[in-house]
């Protein structure tokens, strides 16, 4: 086993990282954490995922896949809450997480171009819970919602895994300082990879 990876400056993220590293079921643990992060627990997932990818570089694809799978399960749950239970559980979640204003702003943008807005919220640091609840509460197509989540989070997690492989420990400190800019950087990397796979 290699030495433990560098930690972030976020205590909650470090606790989760220790749990995952001490477990014999790393992929299941990151799956569960990703599902929780997508629904009710505002865990700074990248601050766990980046050190984990540094520690398990040879399994970057499996880790990114497990993270994406957990996120998609969480996305389906979040959509269901928005669709069936928005007036009770959905409103409670927005209040607890402090996303009321973000929800109001996102809903107005969502009306103009739902799919593109969902795609962007899945890539950038905007809370994903807001997008899920909006899509569910407005009755947006579940299939299109899941497709947007798959594309957006796939680009985010696989792109981040590749950045970690290429740049190493620098990604962790950069992410903590410039999350938004690196979120767009991951988008660019992911789109370039996507275009290479499609056209080359």
């Amino acid at each position: 086993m290699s030495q433990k990876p560098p930690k972030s400056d976020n205590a909650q993220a470090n606790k989760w990282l220790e749990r995952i590293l001490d477990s014999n079921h790393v992929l299941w643990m990151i799956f569960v954490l990703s599902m929780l992060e997508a629904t009710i627990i505002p865990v700074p997932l990248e601050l766990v995922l980046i050190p984990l990818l540094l520690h398990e570089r040879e399994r970057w694809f499996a880790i990114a896949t497990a993270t994406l799978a957990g996120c998609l399960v969480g996305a389906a749950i979040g959509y269901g809450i928005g669709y069936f239970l928005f007036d009770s559980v959905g409103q409670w979640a927005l209040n607890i997480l402090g996303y009321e204003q973000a929800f109001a702003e996102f809903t107005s943008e969502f009306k103009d171009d739902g799919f593109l807005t969902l795609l962007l919220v899945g890539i950038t640091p905007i809370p994903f819970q807001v997008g899920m609840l909006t899509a569910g509460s407005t009755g947006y197509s579940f299939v299109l919602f899941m497709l947007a989540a798959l594309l957006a989070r796939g680009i985010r997690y696989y792109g981040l895994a590749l950045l970690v492989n290429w740049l190493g420990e620098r990604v962790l400190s950069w992410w903590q300082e410039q999350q938004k800019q690196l979120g767009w950087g991951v988008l660019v990397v992911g789109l370039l990879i996507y275009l290479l796979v499609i056209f080359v």
Side-chain angles (χ1 to χ4, degrees):
M1 181 72 68
S2 59
Q3 63 180 7
K4 290 195 174 183
K7 294 181 179 180
S8 72
D9 56 9
N10 185 288
Q12 185 184 25
N14 291 336
K15 286 180 182 178
W16 274 102
L17 178 63
E18 287 296 330
R19 290 178 192 172
I20 292 173
L21 292 177
D22 291 340
S23 170
N24 293 322
H25 308 284
V26 170
L27 298 180
W28 277 110
M29 289 288 287
I30 195 65
F31 171 91
V32 170
L33 179 59
S34 181
M35 181 179 66
L36 293 174
E37 187 264 350
T39 51
I40 57 172
I41 300 179
V43 180
L45 186 61
E46 282 76 14
L47 298 184
V48 178
L49 187 57
I50 292 170
L52 180 60
L53 287 166
L54 286 168
H55 189 260
E56 302 272 351
R57 287 197 183 193
E58 72 284 355
R59 294 209 289 173
W60 69 269
F61 185 84
I63 290 171
T65 301
T67 307
L68 175 60
C71 179
L72 292 178
V73 171
I77 294 171
Y79 180 95
I81 291 172
Y83 190 84
F84 296 106
L85 302 168
F86 179 75
D87 290 335
S88 54
V89 179
Q91 288 285 3
W92 173 82
L94 289 174
N95 293 335
I96 290 294
L97 297 172
Y99 292 159
E100 302 100 321
Q101 183 177 349
F103 177 81
E105 294 172 355
F106 182 80
T107 302
S108 63
E109 296 175 8
F110 184 78
K111 290 176 182 176
D112 296 330
D113 193 338
F115 188 83
L116 180 60
T117 309
L118 284 171
L119 195 61
L120 291 177
V121 81
I123 296 168
T124 59
I126 299 170
F128 194 46
Q129 293 91 340
V130 171
M132 296 186 302
L133 291 173
T134 302
S137 64
T138 58
Y140 186 75
S141 166
F142 179 72
V143 173
L144 289 178
F145 166 73
M146 291 301 291
L147 178 60
L150 174 65
L151 291 173
R153 291 306 197 177
I155 289 171
R156 188 179 181 99
Y157 296 139
Y158 290 115
L160 183 61
L162 288 170
L163 281 178
V164 169
N165 267 315
W166 293 340
L167 302 177
E169 295 183 12
R170 286 175 290 176
V171 176
L172 180 59
S173 59
W174 286 350
W175 192 276
Q176 292 179 112
E177 295 169 4
Q178 301 177 345
Q179 292 183 33
K180 187 172 291 187
Q181 291 87 336
L182 275 173
W184 286 106
V186 168
L187 169 61
V188 171
V189 170
L191 288 176
L192 286 174
I193 293 167
Y194 175 77
L195 291 173
L196 284 173
V197 169
I198 295 298
F199 295 109
V200 174

